Amino acid sequence: MLPPAARLDRPADTIPARHLHSSLNKIKHPINIVRWTPEGRRLLTGSSSGEFTLWNGMGFNFETIMQAHDSAVRAASYSHGDDWLVSADQDGVVKYWQPNFNNVKAIQAHNDPIRDLAFSPTDSKFVTASDDATLKIFDFSAGIEESMLTGHNWDAKSVDWHPTKGLLVSGSKDHQVKLWDPRTGRCLTTLHGHKNTISKTSFEPVRGQLLATCARDQTARVFDLRMMRDICLLRGHEKDISTLAWHPVHVSLLSTGGADGSLYHYLLDEPNPPPGTALTLAPYDSPDPSNAPAQTIYPAHRIQYAHDFAIWSLDWHPLGHILASGSNDRVTRFWTRARPGESECFNDRYHIGEAAAEAQGTWDRKGGRRMMREEEEQEMEDEAEGLEDQKMPAKQPVLPGIPGLPMPGNTFHDGTSVGGAQSHIPGMGNVGLPPPPPLNGLPGFTGLPAMDPSKFAAMFAGGSLPPPLPMGTSAGMNQNFPPPPPLPANFDFSKMPPGLFPPNFQLPPGFPQPSNATGGELAGNGGGSVRRRGPLPSQQESLMEEQRRGKYRSAR
């Protein structure tokens, strides 16, 4: 099959009528935003929990998930240079992201939820639309507000920046569509045509001559900017239209998502009127184009049961062969073109419903549920693999009084550097302790009486200390050598913190041996100390105890 760019004169062949895959997270939340990455290798989804999820663009399986915002993600847009991603949330916060999803900046753009945002053609500025009924233009590099556009009488629900010109369009809850000059902040004109809240406004990205709007009045309209009037009225939806998306290659292909989960595709040069409906004439073919009524266009293809609930976002793959949809039913779905000669996809449960598809034998309810369960399990496995916790290395014996510094000879490989962890003193890596320095050179010291040097070295290597000598009375010790300060009378070595003494450390005779601290068990594991809690009482035992106290009674 040729890509859409190779068949510019056949937009009908690009209509995504075939369901490819349904992707859903382990912990499910409504999907508010779907955006393909600029190279088309992954799909980014933003949920009402503030999470970003990345799905593979080939296998449609889970890749990674991250907590991007503290509240619901409401808008996201990639820059035209493909270098930045800007997202906005329910709290009015705008965040800057690099292609590797490193968050470099966050600004408080509005105090109310931000519903939409868009980049300027040069990526030097971006505009936001908020529930505070204003539009704000920000300098991207500085993150500073440059101007505020006021004129809407109610919440601003959508905004878009023309792909090549200094022109803004916004839609509001006041049923109005306004065009703005971003340089002066002046409202150029107001387009009246819808009778309810405007849900989406979007410039046509290829030629930039058309503007599409949709509203909660079950209609969508296409305006010609050269004539500054509507030329097409898109009908067919039975419920409100919640979003729309232009095809990135075919100028005449427009897709809309409804509040009932339906997905419709319109060809602007094919009216497709239903039987019994009169064909209307396009304003371009009318003798008086300025005053001729807009041509009514009906869907070229309908996917009535694409989702169970409202479709919040649509986005085309950069090549134009896959359409992604995010819905309030917590599912992200991928749609593509039908293969030549394929007809089964037009009778699946997404086109005719589950009951009709089961009656025709094109869908098995039990098999479909089993397949959905298997897909969920696979997504859970992929997510578990992607979010596997990094296990900490085993605790190693440490030098007394120096936490984190391992004993000599216990260097381990943790996989973070060549040769293992480098947390040892240079010269003490894999060699034993150096021999003790000679004591005969100390001033006033003439040697230890009755002490075998080999025995002293053995005690030092074993981690124990020789018994203390009485100061000022031993032979060979200068009488003027100051004695160490005495310990408190009630000093208890058992209260010393764990890890202060090396493993198998023996105090000299006369000192109390350290014991386990009260309130928990200290057990050495590989030389380290871990605090283990005692077992908690079970709920059954707690309930029985409360029943014995007369606070609860068994149900009769």
Side-chain angles (χ1 to χ4, degrees):
M1 296 178 67
L2 295 175
R7 309 185 72 174
L8 295 177
D9 57 338
R10 301 290 298 275
D13 294 343
T14 309
I15 293 178
R18 179 170 174 264
H19 172 257
L20 266 180
H21 187 78
S22 296
S23 299
L24 61 163
N25 291 86
K26 178 180 178 182
I27 302 177
K28 306 175 186 63
H29 297 280
I31 306 300
N32 296 333
I33 290 295
V34 292
R35 290 290 180 268
W36 286 96
T37 55
E39 78 284 353
R41 294 185 178 181
R42 296 173 180 86
L43 178 75
L44 171 71
T45 63
S47 69
S48 60
S49 63
E51 295 173 332
F52 279 170
T53 306
L54 279 179
W55 305 95
N56 188 279
M58 296 290 291
F60 313 113
N61 56 299
F62 170 87
E63 285 203 354
T64 187
I65 188 172
M66 61 177 293
Q67 188 68 42
H69 288 266
D70 297 332
S71 59
V73 180
R74 292 298 179 188
S77 177
Y78 276 96
S79 63
H80 296 88
D82 305 339
D83 297 328
W84 293 94
L85 169 71
V86 172
S87 61
D89 63 14
Q90 182 77 13
D91 295 334
V93 176
V94 172
K95 290 190 176 183
Y96 293 15
W97 306 88
Q98 292 176 326
N100 60 354
F101 293 96
N102 178 35
N103 180 219
V104 296
K105 183 181 289 188
I107 58 177
Q108 186 71 46
H110 294 265
N111 294 324
D112 290 316
I114 296 177
R115 296 297 177 177
D116 205 358
L117 58 83
F119 269 100
S120 67
T122 60
D123 294 338
S124 61
K125 306 178 190 304
F126 67 91
V127 61
T128 60
S130 172
D131 281 355
D132 59 8
T134 65
L135 310 178
K136 289 185 179 181
I137 299 177
F138 290 84
D139 180 84
F140 176 74
S141 58
I144 300 175
E145 175 186 339
E146 287 192 346
S147 60
M148 178 188 299
L149 311 183
T150 58
H152 281 295
N153 300 319
W154 217 342
D155 303 353
K157 294 296 185 182
S158 178
V159 69
D160 195 19
W161 204 309
H162 194 277
T164 58
K165 297 178 173 57
L167 184 63
L168 295 177
V169 63
S170 64
S172 171
K173 201 174 179 179
D174 60 5
H175 313 172
Q176 296 178 357
V177 176
K178 290 181 178 291
L179 295 173
W180 307 82
D181 182 354
R183 300 177 183 86
T184 62
R186 184 172 61 93
C187 178
L188 301 177
T189 186
T190 300
L191 303 176
H192 302 273
H194 290 287
K195 300 177 181 179
N196 211 321
T197 301
I198 309 297
S199 53
K200 186 68 176 176
T201 57
S202 177
F203 288 110
E204 196 276 316
V206 179
R207 299 177 183 173
Q209 297 174 352
L210 302 179
L211 165 67
T213 64
C214 63
R216 296 180 61 180
D217 57 3
Q218 306 176 14
T219 64
R221 292 179 181 269
V222 177
F223 296 83
D224 192 324
L225 299 176
R226 297 167 297 180
M227 302 171 63
M228 203 57 69
R229 56 151 297 176
D230 53 342
I231 57 171
C232 295
L233 173 61
L234 309 184
R235 293 187 178 274
H237 276 277
E238 300 175 359
K239 298 292 183 180
D240 303 342
I241 302 179
S242 52
T243 187
L244 56 80
W246 289 98
H247 192 271
V249 177
H250 296 295
V251 179
S252 61
L253 180 54
L254 183 66
S255 302
T256 60
D260 56 353
S262 58
L263 180 60
Y264 290 0
H265 305 288
Y266 295 87
L267 294 175
L268 302 185
D269 50 3
E270 296 183 12
N272 296 304
T277 304
L279 182 66
T280 56
L281 192 65
Y284 301 123
D285 301 328
S286 173
D288 187 7
S290 300
N291 299 319
Q295 184 181 22
T296 302
I297 306 292
Y298 291 90
H301 188 80
R302 305 168 188 248
I303 308 179
Q304 189 65 40
Y305 305 95
H307 285 273
D308 296 334
F309 297 102
I311 298 176
W312 293 133
S313 182
L314 295 172
D315 196 37
W316 281 96
H317 189 279
L319 296 180
H321 66 298
I322 298 177
L323 175 67
S325 60
S327 169
N328 201 45
D329 61 4
R330 305 175 176 86
V331 180
T332 302
R333 289 202 166 103
F334 299 85
W335 313 86
T336 189
R337 306 167 289 176
R339 296 187 179 95
E342 184 179 8
S343 59
E344 292 183 359
C345 65
F346 301 106
N347 293 320
D348 60 5
R349 69 186 186 97
Y350 302 106
H351 286 80
I352 61 178
E354 293 183 358
E358 189 175 14
Q360 292 189 10
T362 58
W363 186 69
D364 180 17
R365 186 179 298 272
K366 295 182 179 179
R369 290 178 178 175
R370 183 177 65 254
M371 184 179 300
M372 180 65 71
R373 186 168 57 251
E374 292 175 355
E375 290 179 355
E376 289 184 10
E377 293 175 355
Q378 183 62 42
E379 300 295 353
M380 291 172 63
E381 291 179 4
D382 294 341
E383 188 165 344
E385 292 176 359
L387 301 178
E388 183 179 5
D389 293 334
Q390 300 294 326
K391 296 182 179 179
M392 297 297 292
K395 292 188 176 181
Q396 302 294 320
V398 296
L399 287 176
I402 312 181
L405 190 60
M407 291 286 289
N410 289 308
T411 303
F412 60 96
H413 296 270
D414 61 354
T416 60
S417 57
V418 179
Q422 307 298 326
S423 57
H424 58 266
I425 298 177
M428 295 182 61
N430 294 317
V431 299
L433 285 172
L439 302 178
N440 295 330
L442 296 177
F445 184 78
T446 58
L448 294 175
M451 173 59 69
D452 187 2
S454 60
K455 183 178 179 181
F456 179 78
M459 294 178 66
F460 189 87
S464 60
L465 298 176
L469 296 176
M471 290 298 176
T473 58
S474 299
M477 185 67 67
N478 192 340
Q479 300 295 331
N480 297 326
F481 194 86
L487 294 175
N490 56 351
F491 186 81
D492 187 3
F493 276 90
S494 63
K495 303 300 182 181
M496 298 299 291
L500 181 62
F501 301 105
N504 304 322
F505 179 77
Q506 298 294 330
L507 287 172
F511 291 97
Q513 295 295 327
S515 60
N516 293 341
T518 59
E521 179 185 358
L522 295 177
N525 182 11
S529 299
V530 231
R531 183 178 297 274
R532 299 175 182 173
R533 295 182 179 273
L536 296 175
S538 65
Q539 293 184 359
Q540 183 68 22
E541 294 175 356
S542 301
L543 179 59
M544 294 175 62
E545 179 64 25
E546 294 296 329
Q547 289 177 350
R548 281 194 293 267
R549 296 179 181 178
K551 295 185 177 181
Y552 295 96
R553 294 182 179 179
S554 302
R556 295 181 180 179

